[in-house]
Amino acid sequence: MNQADRIPGGLVNRDTPMDFSFNGKKLQGYQGDTLASALLANGVRLFGRSFKYHRPRGVFTSGSEEPNALVELRRGAFKEPNSRATVIELFNNLEASSQNHRGPLNFDLMAATDLFLSPFLGAGFYYKTFMWPAAFWEKVYEPIIRMSAGLGSLSKLEDPDCYDKGFLHCDILIVGAGPAGIIAALAAGKAGAKVILADEDFLMGGRLNSELLEIDEMLGPDWARKAIEQLSNMKNVRLMNRTTIYGSYDHGVFGALERCADHLLHSDGKPRQILWKIYSKKSILAAGAIERPIAFGNNDRPGIMTASAVRAYVNRWGVLPGKRTAIFTNNDDGWATAKTLSDRGLEVTAVIDSRKCDPVENIPGASIIMGGKIVNTAGRKRIKSITLANGQIILCDCLAISGGWSPNVHLTCHQGGKPNWNPDLNAFVPGVNLPKNMTVAGSANGFFNLQSVLTEGLKVANDVLHNLDIKASKIKVPSSSDDRTKSSAFWYVKESTKRGWVDLQNDVTVKDIKQSHAEGFRSVEHMKRYTTMGMATDQGKTSNILGLAIMAECTGKTIQNTGTTIFRPPYTPIPLGALAGRSRGKDFRPYRLTPSHKWSEEQGAVFVEVGNWMRAQWFPKIGEKAWRETVDREVLATRNSVGVCDVTTLGKIDIQGKDAANFLNIVYANAFGKLPIGKVRYGLMLREDGIAYDDGTTARINDHHFIMTTTTANAVLVFRRLEFVRQCLCPDMDVHIISTTDAWAQFAVAGPNARRLLEKIIDKDYSISNENFPFMACGEVTVCNGTRARLFRISFSGELAYELAVPARYGDGLIRELMKAGEEFDVTPYGTEALGVMRIEKGHAAGNELNGQTTALNLGLQKMISQKKDCIGKILAQRPEMNKEDEIRLVGFRPINKGDRLVAGAHFLDKGVKEIIENDLGWMSSVCYSPILEDYIGLGFIKNGNKRIGDTVHAYDKMRNNSVDVKICSCHFVDPEGDKLRG
Amino acid sequence: MIINHPVLGPRDASEFVYLGDASLIDRPDPSDKNASELFYEYQYLRDNLAGPMQELWYHEQGDRSWLVVTRNTITHEISNVELARSIARSRGRSK
Amino acid sequence: MSFSAFKILKEGLTGNRGWTPHWREPSLKKEYDVIVIGGGGHGLATAFYLAKEYGITNVAVLEKGWIGSGNIGRNTTIIRSNYMMPGNQPFYEFSMKLWEGLEQDFNYNAMVSQRGILNLSHSDGQHDAYARRGNAMHLTNSGAVLLDKSGVEKMCPFLDFDNARFPIKGGIWQQRGGSVRHDAVAWGYARGADMRGVDLIQNCEVTGFQIKNGICLGVETTLGPVKAKKVAMCVAGSSGILAEKAGMRLPIESHVLQAFVTEGLKPIIPGVITFGAGHFYVSQSDKGGLVFGGDIDGYNSYAQRGNLPVVEDVVEGGMAIMPMIGRARLLRSWGGIMDMSMDGSPFIDRTHINGLYFNGGWCYGGFKATPASGFCYAHLLATDDSHALSKQMRLDRFRSGAQFDEKGVGAQPNLH
């Protein structure tokens, strides 16, 4: 058990030791450790290698803003690259390894880039070269760049965890459970408001847990723990630790990610994380502030950390980052680290303050250098010494830097707001354009003194309660102190000759920023893109402000005028698995099953996706080897005797009201006003722009009662459109509609024996003889001794055919009855493929023809547009470019050489012309093999098609190497006179 | 986004389908002698405002009502929501 | 200054002190031959080709923010020439050819990377539609291959073939498709135009037009008035705002499109892949992040940001085809303003006002069109005649019914 750098104290639980491994080495830590604190406790200082130059790096911070200590956590399919060691909660048997090195971490071969190539790899170097020879970019340069890009690697295996999604509603969402958030939650909770208090950390308390400040004469962590306990007993308060509020969206909606199982070895099948949408009336952003570094030569060595991180490791985790610590600061707060160490008898070798003022604290034994600056450091794998501007060299094995604090204004800017620069605080504070109903409290609002944080936090909460008309309860402001707030605008050490690092993760230096300025990339957005500063996984949390301040000095503009880049969600990165939630694999979208689905499965049907529906595509019989065999059989069987097909999926819309007929006259191109009761009519619907939109059949059940059908694909869209007409264009029409697609099971029964079959099913009260129920009749009937049904004599197949509908719950029963009754006729179930063959044989247009680009004229249906009435689309359908002499027309095609295969998607060209798009005459839209004609047939659109019947053209299909010659013919291949229909 | 349905109260915008500018309510008179030009402008030309605009949303996963929502296209702030049918009537549409 | 490896070597050995600005920051003159409003990809390309191809250099590009701050700096970097309609496909194929020679043309490494684009298909109908598109591509010599399921599996074994809600049936593959470093395109065109004498004026917003008797004489800007013989609008999603100042309404709606990037990862996705049964497309940048996107949010917006339902919808689509990305993390999301047109196709045309021209309506597909758009717009400005490849891109085509609608969804911008 060797945790050489462990010291007493902290909030870790020493009764619960934990084993873990890093790069294969077995180590120990405690419950309450992060991976970073545990590694530091074990004396580890080298955590990884930087992106561009592969420089050795150690942990830099103690929070989610960490730029350096990125590891690959877990193994196999559970592997998570780019995980910050500072936020990984230690669990027993945790396995992690470092990233981004060739060869061992200690001896990264790629570090050669730092040692030899760095002068040539400055900002934007790749824009200026890699252009010659032209072919080399893709074949040589780019693959090399891509191989060295990225830090971690995915396992390529499917994410084995599951994720949930949830919705929460509250009066007040409080983001951040530090002192401001806690006091606000206490106030709001006690007043009875519905409160959510969220914090990304596993231990609530914010900075209190890393400091030794006192509140109401208690130590900060104790005060926090007591308060949280109080809050957990309030039923109206929901505490969410391990929860990052990652985004602020319109109208008080927040995105949150709760990590439920990341701190456990196994999720045991439970959700690893939950993606929450939080609907809040008000929000209080109490997200604290993040400490900045200072840039100077070689300021990136392992062992160099932010001053607050050093304090956090000492106070919260009982870890000593260095036995001889030096501090470099430009503000009062850096001194707190010196005092923390000194008070515990831990060696502070020097405190270097860039300001020329009096020392802030008395640190016995340390060299105090006011107005001092560090220009360089030594110690590649761990810092050994620092060199000051005056030449003095000071030994140390840990350097704590404090460059000032930046309020965490992120969420205030997600909706386009910009922060304001406060020159007194040397910080950006929330601007004026906050998201609606959001207030900011605590350090996030620029308050760095604990007493003021508590006072102001309470005030903010009371103001918010007041705005919600909730009576505030009386809470006393706790008393505290902590006065270290003076800061200065000191960003980098000009005297440094060595590279000073600004963005640690993307390896962007002060020199790079200056070069960016020299090359004209001076706005913050240009600088960001040119140098890549702020574009790494930490999104510049510790570097952006430093960078723009340096650019402001270069340009001579103020920091306010220089501004920041745009803050965007997510605040910290979110696994894609969490965003997808349960919609994975087969659950990506729901399944819509037809009433005959179960029965079809029993028959061994092969199914096909049609939107969200599953439809039987064909019903193979045992022995059939290819789908064509099955489909041919189904077609022949139907045309020779009788077939049954489930057509439930087609949209059905019930339309009722005194003005129902007038309504239909508006939405359909053809007229419906005089449709007799008990009759069905084919209807063509146009879009308002005159394009053919949808077709179907509409039946008149009664004077004021119609039933419309639509195509399967457009069922929802047509309904939406009808409601638009009804509510927005004709608000006073007496007409009501409802979708009945799922309410009725509907089966097509087609073939010469269709009537005979149905007469066995339909109750004898109803005669469906040809005289009593002619072609295009409809009516309400009963089947199977009294079951309510509707019968429509319509035919998609061109055979004597009907469609029989029963309430959906009887659909399964009906198909079984139909099949039983049809046994004597060798009734054959047929699927969508045979359905398609038969409609092509008859020349009926379907989705491939009504593709949203074709007009009634193109389809040969122009006569359907009634001249006697208005309809949607009528006026714009008359536009000249849609009525040209040589418009494309829907016609039929047959191969010149019988037996040649036709394919949909072929383009038509005249024979012998150049195969260029300028000579394109049209395309083949639908194709099938017709078992009736024993040949391939097709439907397609071709210019002047109606005038070219009999012509031969070339069907060009380079895609499938199937270019053939075809003859233009009528679309109606089988029974063109329609005799079978009317028999 | 949250749309305050005049009957149902606040609903998430994802329950709705967006059509476009509420000027689509003002379908021209097809018997007008300038019908072609009027329909062209109605169907194709838009103000496309940067600021508050009136637009049509359809509550497809709710009560199937069409709504006219006044929303600022720069800030997304919604200042008014009405049933489209009322707006249509107030603009003279009837049968 | 010419860029090359030699230059980098020389500078690197001498302390990198010799680098100079990539373009000048000139003051705005009182008059120009041509004003291009909009310093995005298309505007900069237009200025570049005006200077390079037509020798017209007395040109100013007026940009209200900083060069390249619009959609050119925010897109998902995909280039392809796999359109179907005769009004589109030859134009995009021309653009592809210009991409292929671009770096040599403007001496800037735009990292044109033609690692291929694969559109997945999930039904027979979709496969046939791809075949129709692919044949159109062959008729313009753009190269296309129809892959069946095993062909796709060989190319991208990490896709989900076993457990998908909408199984992959095949796909269409264009080898020459791929991605380009978007910022470099803006900067390369900017530098190339500037080198040839074009004035790039940043932080200069056009506040009005000087129009008299149906003739445009110049513009008003935040830096003062400027006269010009020809004024070319080129502002993508802001087209409506700009055109309104000239009293024009356009067949365009401005919508937000969100785009996303993950943390950097070692190479895992070879080219561009698009999902055929949902809204998702992805490629991997040279820095390692997976750059992906999906559908527009669907409502008019100038906010350059969107809402959560689309984020979830897009990622669901991604997980549906490649569940391995579940462990990758979304790093950043952003949004742009798309000029969605009434038929999904663009406009490069004169307006009814003499001397005022319009380029816009690129929907979310403008990036790949950048070179051809600039070239054809320059042609129009230089000769007052539409380039052969953009002659269908008329602003008033809807009046006569000459729309060309790839998707077939009609006059509703948010469906395209």
Side-chain angles (χ1 to χ4, degrees), chain C residues 158-283:
Chain C
F158 52 81
L159 297 175
D160 187 359
F161 292 94
D162 302 314
N163 195 35
R165 173 66 179 82
F166 297 106
I168 298 172
K169 295 256 158 81
I172 180 173
W173 160 254
Q174 185 187 24
Q175 168 66 64
R176 290 162 66 233
S179 59
V180 180
R181 179 105 183 93
H182 53 327
D183 288 321
V185 176
W187 299 339
Y189 275 127
R191 185 168 159 272
D194 171 84
M195 259 167 49
R196 290 170 171 81
V198 171
D199 281 357
L200 305 178
I201 315 287
Q202 297 178 81
N203 297 305
C204 175
E205 182 169 1
V206 169
T207 54
F209 291 90
Q210 301 163 6
I211 298 178
K212 208 164 165 202
N213 295 329
I215 303 179
C216 179
L217 302 166
V219 294
E220 307 282 345
T221 77
T222 48
L223 296 180
V226 195
K227 283 211 214 309
K229 299 198 184 73
K230 296 186 176 171
V231 176
M233 295 191 271
C234 201
V235 294
S238 302
S239 293
I241 302 177
L242 185 63
E244 199 258 335
K245 300 185 205 299
M248 287 175 61
R249 293 168 83 212
L250 298 172
I252 288 176
E253 283 184 8
S254 296
H255 283 261
V256 56
L257 177 70
Q258 297 189 60
F260 313 91
V261 68
T262 67
E263 300 172 321
L265 300 162
K266 294 296 177 199
I268 194 153
I269 296 187
V272 183
I273 302 175
T274 78
F275 181 31
H279 304 117
F280 173 81
Y281 51 88
V282 65
S283 64

Side-chain angles (χ1 to χ4, degrees), chain A residues 82-83 119 127 138 142 146 149 161 165 277 519 526 529 566 568 574 590 853 879 881 907 957, chain C residues 16 22 66-67 73 104 109 113-114 132 135 165 286 304 307 312 327 329-330 332 398 400 405:
Chain A
N82 305 328
S83 301
Y127 296 120
E138 255 159 55
E142 197 187 23
R146 287 175 80 79
D161 271 321
K165 292 189 184 181
K277 271 208 221 32
E519 298 199 57
H526 277 157
R529 289 143 197 284
I566 303 177
R568 296 275 194 187
I574 305 181
Q853 298 165 343
R879 287 179 286 169
E881 290 293 316
H907 287 232
D957 186 15
Chain C
N16 280 309
H22 290 214
W66 36 278
I67 293 283
Q104 276 66 36
N109 186 13
S113 175
Q114 293 174 287
R132 180 183 165 198
N135 280 323
R165 173 66 179 82
D286 284 342
Q304 295 183 315
N307 277 293
E312 295 174 53
R327 300 314 268 196
R329 295 196 202 97
L330 173 67
R332 190 174 172 88
F398 303 111
S400 60
D405 180 349

Side-chain angles (χ1 to χ4, degrees), chain A residues 689-814:
Chain A
D689 66 352
I691 299 285
Y693 180 46
D694 200 70
D695 65 348
T697 54
T698 291
R700 191 169 205 161
I701 298 288
N702 227 317
D703 227 6
H704 300 140
H705 188 180
F706 293 80
I707 307 203
M708 174 191 284
T709 70
T710 75
T711 60
T712 300
N714 284 337
V716 170
L717 300 173
V718 169
F719 188 85
R720 197 187 290 170
R721 179 131 284 276
L722 292 185
E723 283 287 19
F724 173 76
V725 173
R726 194 177 78 87
Q727 296 178 39
C728 299
L729 301 185
C730 309
D732 285 337
M733 263 198 188
D734 179 2
V735 62
H736 301 269
I737 65 177
I738 189 164
S739 165
T740 53
T741 310
D742 297 334
W744 291 86
Q746 191 146 330
F747 296 94
V749 181
N753 284 318
R755 181 183 292 120
R756 281 181 212 107
L757 166 50
L758 284 173
E759 276 169 342
K760 291 174 76 174
I761 294 289
I762 293 172
D763 293 335
K764 296 287 180 274
D765 317 54
Y766 303 94
S767 164
I768 59 168
S769 69
N770 200 22
E771 302 85 74
N772 288 331
F773 208 83
F775 180 53
M776 299 305 270
C778 68
E780 297 185 300
V781 299
T782 63
V783 299
C784 303
N785 285 324
T787 301
R788 187 179 163 214
R790 285 172 178 164
L791 187 67
F792 309 86
R793 188 170 160 187
I794 51 180
S795 176
F796 199 40
S797 56
E799 295 301 315
L800 165 67
Y802 303 77
E803 286 187 17
L804 178 63
V806 289
R809 63 192 176 281
Y810 298 122
D812 179 84
L814 180 62

Side-chain angles (χ1 to χ4, degrees), chain A residues 241-306:
Chain A
N241 62 341
R242 300 189 181 95
T243 301
T244 305
I245 307 296
Y246 65 81
S248 162
Y249 296 92
D250 286 318
H251 308 167
V253 177
F254 287 83
L257 182 73
E258 180 181 2
R259 288 174 290 282
C260 311
D262 282 338
H263 60 289
L264 305 169
L265 182 61
H266 297 298
S267 53
D268 277 333
K270 294 215 182 77
R272 173 196 169 196
Q273 297 173 347
I274 300 177
L275 193 79
W276 295 98
K277 271 208 221 32
I278 302 180
Y279 295 84
S280 70
K281 294 202 181 112
K282 304 277 180 191
S283 57
I284 298 175
L285 182 67
I290 293 178
E291 194 172 27
R292 302 185 288 266
I294 302 168
F296 51 88
N298 285 316
N299 62 330
D300 69 324
R301 301 201 189 281
I304 301 182
M305 299 181 199
T306 58

Side-chain angles (χ1 to χ4, degrees), chain A residues 297-319:
Chain A
N298 285 316
N299 62 330
D300 69 324
R301 301 201 189 281
I304 301 182
M305 299 181 199
T306 58
S308 57
V310 172
R311 286 205 298 285
Y313 288 119
V314 170
N315 291 328
R316 176 171 170 181
W317 283 293
V319 170

Side-chain angles (χ1 to χ4, degrees), chain A residues 410 502-508 513 524 527-529 531-545 547 565-566, chain C residues 287 331-332:
Chain A
H410 232 275
V502 179
D503 184 321
L504 287 167
Q505 198 171 127
N506 265 354
D507 276 345
V508 179
I513 296 171
V524 280
M527 169 179 66
K528 166 188 163 181
R529 289 143 197 284
T531 64
T532 74
M533 193 194 76
M535 294 180 76
T537 69
D538 63 329
Q539 290 289 284
K541 288 195 175 66
T542 53
S543 58
N544 277 345
I545 292 175
T565 51
I566 303 177
Chain C
K287 285 213 294 289
L331 176 62
R332 190 174 172 88

Side-chain angles (χ1 to χ4, degrees), chain A residues 229-486:
Chain A
E229 217 177 285
Q230 249 188 306
L231 289 165
S232 68
N233 288 326
M234 295 184 199
K235 284 195 174 56
N236 52 324
V237 174
R238 185 184 183 117
L239 296 173
M240 299 181 78
N241 62 341
R242 300 189 181 95
T243 301
T244 305
I245 307 296
Y246 65 81
S248 162
Y249 296 92
D250 286 318
H251 308 167
V253 177
F254 287 83
L257 182 73
E258 180 181 2
R259 288 174 290 282
C260 311
D262 282 338
H263 60 289
L264 305 169
L265 182 61
H266 297 298
S267 53
D268 277 333
K270 294 215 182 77
R272 173 196 169 196
Q273 297 173 347
I274 300 177
L275 193 79
W276 295 98
K277 271 208 221 32
I278 302 180
Y279 295 84
S280 70
K281 294 202 181 112
K282 304 277 180 191
S283 57
I284 298 175
L285 182 67
I290 293 178
E291 194 172 27
R292 302 185 288 266
I294 302 168
F296 51 88
N298 285 316
N299 62 330
D300 69 324
R301 301 201 189 281
I304 301 182
M305 299 181 199
T306 58
S308 57
V310 172
R311 286 205 298 285
Y313 288 119
V314 170
N315 291 328
R316 176 171 170 181
W317 283 293
V319 170
L320 185 61
K323 294 192 171 60
R324 328 177 55 193
T325 305
I327 287 104
F328 182 27
T329 181
N330 68 3
N331 65 86
D332 287 353
D333 194 62
W335 290 82
T337 300
K339 188 154 183 0
T340 299
L341 292 167
S342 170
D343 281 355
R344 290 184 62 152
L346 304 164
E347 185 180 343
V348 177
T349 63
V351 180
I352 300 124
D353 193 321
S354 64
R355 303 171 294 171
K356 288 199 168 74
C357 56
D358 289 331
V360 176
E361 303 275 356
N362 177 35
I363 311 292
S367 304
I368 307 293
I369 299 148
M370 302 307 290
K373 298 171 197 160
I374 301 180
V375 295
N376 199 4
T377 69
R380 198 164 161 78
K381 302 268 174 61
R382 182 177 182 168
I383 188 168
K384 281 198 301 240
S385 68
I386 54 178
T387 307
L388 304 189
N390 61 11
Q392 195 182 347
I393 295 180
I394 298 176
L395 301 179
C396 61
D397 64 353
C398 172
L399 173 62
I401 319 179
S402 181
W405 287 84
S406 309
N408 218 346
V409 300
H410 232 275
L411 261 57
T412 66
C413 301
H414 280 182
Q415 293 177 38
K418 296 224 168 269
N420 280 337
W421 181 253
N422 182 324
D424 297 323
L425 297 178
N426 289 301
F428 277 104
V429 295
V432 291
N433 252 357
L434 295 189
K436 204 151 179 230
N437 293 319
M438 180 188 282
T439 3
V440 191
S443 298
N445 205 16
F447 292 88
F448 297 128
N449 164 292
L450 182 54
Q451 181 63 69
S452 61
V453 162
L454 292 165
T455 309
E456 194 246 2
L458 182 56
K459 178 176 181 305
V460 163
N462 285 334
D463 285 344
V464 169
L465 287 167
H466 180 76
N467 278 331
L468 284 169
D469 275 328
I470 298 178
K471 188 160 180 285
S473 67
K474 298 218 180 298
I475 286 199
K476 214 164 65 89
V477 180
S479 75
S480 177
S481 63
D482 162 36
D483 295 306
R484 294 184 306 263
T485 58
K486 289 209 266 299

